[in-house]
Amino acid sequence: MTADTLIEAPDVAQPATGWSQEAIARCVATVVRSRRATRAFKAQPLGRALVEEILADAACAPSGANIQPWRVYVVSGAVKNELTDALVAASRAGTAPAPEHFPEPLPDTYRARLADFGARYYASLGIERHDTPARTRQTERNYAFFGAPVGLVFSIDRRLKAHSWIDLGLFAQSVMIAAKARGIDTCPQVAFAQFHEPIAAHLQMPADEVTAFGMSMGYGDPEAEVNRARMPRERVQDFARLLGFGD
Ligand SMILES: Cc1cc2nc3c(=O)[nH]c(=O)nc-3n(C[C@H](O)[C@H](O)[C@H](O)COP(=O)(O)O)c2cc1C
């Protein structure tokens, strides 16, 4: 993309709504705090126009030097189902490289949180800790985008560094918030990263792109137990140090 193909950023400094700052803050907090990783969806479809609106909002995400390194493939219908079939087949073949998203060994603090996540997640599904076949079946649900009508695959130029992967993460969170503001649920999924080869072949990605993660998108099923699992957060005083405030 060259500079002359860029669209001008809209000036949204003054909200057009006439809402008070307090109302806007409450609204944003409600959306941010109600977003959940959603792993069961209603059959209700999601139209192309709505997805494009969400992506246009998310494209306002910041990026270092405004290089906007995000790339996203959005799949629905038969294209999504064919991708799912290819990934399930690749997963069952057991030929994909091992997942690399956490170091081995994982530092204790994070290992404890990972264990807490696993306990909550599998309890919400009624899956016992040592029931490996059931866990494997649930992992495979990732590749079916947990039954969501729309799936996204986020990729990035493999030559870029960690700095630009931050941009991609900010973009993804913006997608999730823009979706949630419209009542649409999502689940970000690193489970796709392992399957770059079949994904790239299926989506005809250029050779310089690498799959970073996927995302399910649709209307969450509020009745599904898995969507009722709640993941706790550290308190601000435990992860932040505020310095120089004089109190
Ligand atoms: C980068 C990233 C990758 C993730 N990968 C997966 C995944 O592969 N499968 C999955 O079910 N959830 C995945 N999640 C969802 C997390 O488990 C979830 O965000 C976390 O447990 C906090 O729960 P919450 O989002 O409902 O607040 C991922 C989240 C992020 C941010």
Side-chain angles (χ1 to χ4, degrees):
M1 182 189 279
T2 57
D4 56 344
T5 64
L6 294 174
I7 50 168
E8 275 307 309
D11 182 2
V12 288
Q14 293 298 321
T17 55
W19 294 1
S20 70
Q21 203 65 57
E22 194 196 343
I24 293 169
R26 265 209 314 275
C27 184
V28 171
T30 302
V31 174
V32 170
R33 288 168 181 255
S34 62
R35 181 219 51 81
R36 305 249 183 278
T38 299
R39 300 183 179 92
F41 291 85
K42 296 182 194 166
Q44 193 177 343
L46 195 57
R48 179 189 179 123
L50 207 42
V51 176
E52 284 178 339
E53 256 183 40
I54 291 167
L55 294 177
D57 280 357
C60 297
S63 59
N66 199 29
I67 72 164
Q68 306 166 67
W70 41 79
R71 287 285 169 269
V72 62
Y73 296 80
V74 187
V75 293
S76 188
V79 179
K80 176 176 71 80
N81 296 339
E82 285 159 20
L83 179 61
T84 294
D85 290 347
L87 297 182
V88 169
S91 171
R92 290 185 184 170
T95 48
E100 283 183 347
H101 42 280
F102 289 132
E104 193 56 61
L106 189 61
D108 287 349
T109 308
Y110 306 120
R111 193 150 40 87
R113 289 184 198 153
L114 178 65
D116 178 70
F117 161 77
R120 290 169 189 268
Y121 179 40
Y122 290 111
S124 76
L125 292 158
I127 296 176
E128 298 290 337
R129 191 156 177 253
H130 297 294
D131 189 347
T132 308
R135 283 182 172 229
T136 304
R137 279 196 300 278
Q138 182 59 22
T139 299
E140 273 186 8
R141 295 288 301 149
N142 273 284
Y143 312 125
F145 297 95
F146 296 115
V150 167
L152 297 91
V153 174
F154 293 77
S155 67
I156 189 166
D157 190 312
R158 61 175 78 243
R159 295 165 295 191
L160 293 175
K161 298 187 176 185
H163 178 75
S164 301
W165 284 67
I166 295 172
D167 302 339
L168 185 63
L170 295 172
F171 175 69
Q173 169 72 347
S174 300
V175 169
M176 291 188 276
I177 296 307
K180 189 66 198 172
R182 293 167 170 84
I184 296 164
D185 298 294
T186 53
C187 184
Q189 294 161 262
V190 76
F192 287 85
Q194 237 183 306
F195 294 98
H196 170 70
E197 276 191 21
I199 291 172
H202 227 78
L203 301 178
Q204 298 179 1
M205 270 187 200
D208 55 15
E209 274 180 40
V210 62
T211 301
F213 49 87
M215 187 182 288
S216 304
M217 183 182 280
Y219 295 95
D221 176 359
E223 304 301 322
E225 277 302 317
V226 69
N227 287 341
R228 297 191 180 174
R230 291 289 169 263
M231 299 301 162
R233 295 297 197 268
E234 292 294 288
R235 297 170 308 173
V236 172
Q237 59 265 43
D238 295 331
F239 67 78
R241 287 181 65 210
L242 282 74
L243 309 170
F245 284 84
D247 52 0

